[in-house]
Amino acid sequence: MSGPAVFKFGGTSLGDAERIGDVAALIADVEAPPVVVVSAPAGLTETLVEIAQEGPRPGGISDSAGDGTTLAREALERMPRDLARRVGGEALQDEVARLVLDRLEAFDRHTPGDESARDDLLAVGEDVAVRLLKAALDRRGIRAAVVDARVVVRTDDGFGSAAPDIDAIHATTRAHLLPLVSSGTVPVVQGFVGGTADGRTTTLGRGGSDLSATLIGAALSSSAVHIWTDVDGILTGDPRWVDRPRSLDVVGFEEAVELAWFGARVLHAGAAKHAVAHRLPVRIRSTFAPERPGTLILAERWGGPDIAAVACKRSVALIQVRSRPSAIEYGFLAEVFGTLAELRTPVDLVATSHTSTAFTIDENADLRALGDALDRVAEVEVRRGLSTVTVVGRGLLREPGFAARVFQTVAFTSVHLISQATDSSLSFLVDDAEAERLVRRLHLVLIEGRGARQQPQGDDRDSVEGAV
Ligand code: ASP
Ligand code: MG
């Protein structure tokens, strides 16, 4: 039998008092109590990251002399407190204000070697969120209990992007959440936050609340994880760029992982992978339109080959490595990828020939450290300012016509690298400046269903003529 559904609410769904009330109403409408996972209210984590970057300032937030108070600190003092007052009145305002101040003070006084200090500070966004939602549920007469993610979501001590301990989470989640659910109480848990076995706070990396939701969902054998966000599911293309994006009804697991990884921002890639590994259905839906079904991510997507979406990932760097003539003849690739693994740098696309290999990574990775490390075995060239544009679908290799249409459409763009490792994605690496145009054209041709029969000219390059 399947366990309770998990509902995860993102920052925009908790961005103001009214929306928090809507979320409580939405939970009240569900017959069987779900397990609820929340992100920090929109903008709060960003503010906390800024404060962490500025570093500790003894003198701190309440220092009226002005030394130590920054814009981010002012925002941190104001935003959660105002939200709390509007959601739960004076008492909640005081509780939240105290929580935030205490945490900031602890950060300002932490000893330099204390690795968990930063995560302790970042976690306050979600610590506030669970209190706000609990108060809103109380108001509606819904029985709810805050369950601390530090206890439930056990991780290693990789502070900042800790790795979950799946076995421990299986046990803690079941022990702490199931009794509540069976007694008709809604457990409310912080997303993004975890804890080590010895009780120190960790975080799962930016956007990690989705991962929290799928970790808990898998541990409970949930019927489904519902990711409640501000869009109607996974779209066929970025609405800022394409004219007629559609929301997809169903997406296969593999497509979802490719989409999450290559730029559809609605689902954290790690969360998608975890759901896939546990065959856990995920539904992405909008708190602004809860009556709509959104997108269902399922193990099997029925039907023939089909293109689902065009995604784009910005700020990508291309690394080209050429083995030195003197270098080892065997194991060159092992050496290159071993170096990447040591530096914990994830790779997106790879293309390789006998003597050289090219791959892409996030432009914000430590490119210098990587260059220095690879320099031992290879000549290294780095190019920044690139984007990957990825066509995601099913059976892309099975249906030769697809590739032909895709390549025809891409033919007018200069491409640095092409990669197709699976049946469900085909990626092109282009200059940042070319990305939007290419996404628009691919969406127009492949999804809005118009053919690219003529070479587009001049300013007209976006409006592909020759409708089929
Ligand atoms: N609040 C965290 C962040 O902004 C986690 C999340 O939203 O998923 O990254
Ligand atoms: Mg998110």
Side-chain angles (χ1 to χ4, degrees):
M1 228 194 68
S2 53
V6 175
F7 280 17
K8 178 259 168 175
F9 294 94
T12 45
S13 302
L14 303 164
D16 63 48
E18 206 177 50
R19 303 213 45 83
I20 295 172
D22 291 348
V23 165
L26 195 151
I27 294 167
D29 266 354
V30 186
E31 254 166 62
V35 172
V36 173
V37 174
V38 292
S39 302
L44 192 47
T45 308
E46 210 57 54
T47 301
L48 291 161
V49 167
E50 236 174 88
I51 294 171
Q53 264 159 7
E54 290 164 359
R57 318 223 153 173
I61 194 166
S62 52
D63 181 359
S64 54
D67 59 317
T69 303
T70 64
L71 281 179
R73 281 169 180 256
E74 270 166 32
L76 178 64
E77 196 188 10
R78 195 174 0 93
M79 194 260 247
R81 196 192 54 201
D82 289 355
L83 258 178
R85 189 184 61 251
R86 277 185 249 123
V87 172
E90 299 276 317
L92 188 64
Q93 168 181 314
D94 292 348
E95 184 191 336
V96 164
R98 177 103 319 269
L99 173 78
V100 170
L101 278 177
D102 284 351
R103 203 66 65 80
L104 200 53
E105 258 173 54
F107 177 72
D108 282 336
R109 280 192 324 244
H110 83 266
T111 43
D114 178 0
E115 288 181 300
S116 65
R118 183 174 181 274
D119 284 359
D120 251 328
L121 177 66
L122 296 192
V124 84
E126 275 71 14
D127 287 336
V128 167
V130 287
R131 285 168 173 78
L132 298 177
L133 186 57
K134 157 92 167 99
L137 289 166
D138 286 348
R139 279 209 157 174
R140 295 203 146 246
I142 313 281
R143 251 198 296 156
V146 170
V147 179
D148 195 349
R150 294 166 182 80
V151 177
V152 173
V153 181
R154 180 73 55 78
T155 68
D156 68 1
D157 60 0
F159 298 100
S161 60
D165 177 340
I166 306 296
D167 291 338
I169 291 172
H170 186 85
T172 49
T173 297
R174 300 185 82 84
H176 289 91
L177 302 182
L178 287 181
L180 288 171
V181 173
S182 19
S183 74
T185 302
V186 175
V188 182
V189 188
Q190 305 94 325
F192 177 59
V193 177
T196 59
D198 60 358
R200 287 178 298 162
T201 305
T202 56
T203 57
L204 302 174
R206 294 305 306 275
S209 319
D210 292 349
L211 178 57
S212 309
T214 53
L215 287 168
I216 293 172
L220 296 177
S221 310
S222 289
S223 52
V225 171
H226 300 248
I227 305 279
W228 292 91
T229 178
D230 54 357
V231 290
D232 251 347
I234 299 182
L235 301 174
T236 53
D238 189 327
R240 292 168 306 177
W241 288 359
V242 310
D243 291 331
R244 280 183 292 264
R246 278 188 296 108
S247 166
L248 294 158
D249 298 334
V250 182
V251 166
F253 271 159
E254 206 176 311
E255 291 168 303
V257 174
E258 297 290 329
L259 272 170
W261 188 256
F262 286 115
R265 285 157 308 145
V266 287
L267 185 64
H268 181 274
K273 279 191 193 164
H274 194 68
V276 169
H278 292 83
R279 306 187 79 74
L280 177 67
V282 175
R283 196 180 270 290
I284 313 249
R285 48 202 304 201
S286 169
T287 36
F288 295 84
E291 70 287 354
R292 302 210 195 121
T295 301
L296 180 62
I297 303 173
L298 267 188
E300 313 300 347
R301 180 158 84 84
W302 48 92
D306 177 19
I307 286 170
V310 182
C312 177
K313 187 170 182 172
R314 317 276 297 180
S315 305
V316 168
L318 175 67
I319 317 289
Q320 279 173 301
V321 293
R322 188 177 288 276
S323 65
R324 295 228 166 81
S326 58
I328 35 165
E329 204 163 326
Y330 302 103
F332 174 63
L333 286 179
E335 190 81 27
V336 169
F337 288 102
T339 303
L340 285 160
E342 268 165 40
L343 295 172
R344 297 184 76 162
T345 307
V347 176
D348 292 339
L349 306 177
V350 184
T352 184
S353 73
H354 182 63
T355 52
S356 78
T357 293
F359 57 88
T360 65
I361 59 175
D362 188 325
E363 199 177 55
N364 301 311
D366 190 344
L367 296 178
R368 176 180 297 244
L370 182 60
D372 288 350
L374 288 175
D375 201 48
R376 285 180 285 132
V377 285
E379 276 152 28
V380 186
E381 227 177 277
V382 178
R383 189 195 281 259
R384 297 158 184 270
L386 305 174
S387 296
T388 53
V389 172
T390 304
V391 174
V392 177
R394 186 187 34 179
L396 297 182
L397 292 169
R398 260 181 289 148
E399 175 62 64
F402 279 164
R405 274 160 74 205
V406 173
F407 282 110
Q408 254 172 29
T409 313
V410 175
F412 312 115
T413 309
S414 78
V415 171
H416 298 287
L417 186 149
I418 299 176
S419 162
Q420 174 162 41
T422 72
D423 203 25
S424 48
S425 76
L426 178 53
S427 293
F428 300 89
L429 184 68
V430 301
D431 289 332
D432 273 337
E434 290 290 328
E436 175 173 349
R437 195 202 304 269
L438 182 59
V439 168
R440 286 169 65 87
R441 285 175 50 74
L442 284 166
H443 194 269
L444 197 61
V445 172
L446 302 171
I447 290 168
E448 291 167 59
R450 297 208 259 149
R453 296 241 184 96
Q454 298 170 350
Q455 166 132 12
Q457 285 161 2
D459 289 345
D460 220 25
R461 279 177 56 172
D462 281 343
S463 53
V464 180
E465 294 297 321
V468 202

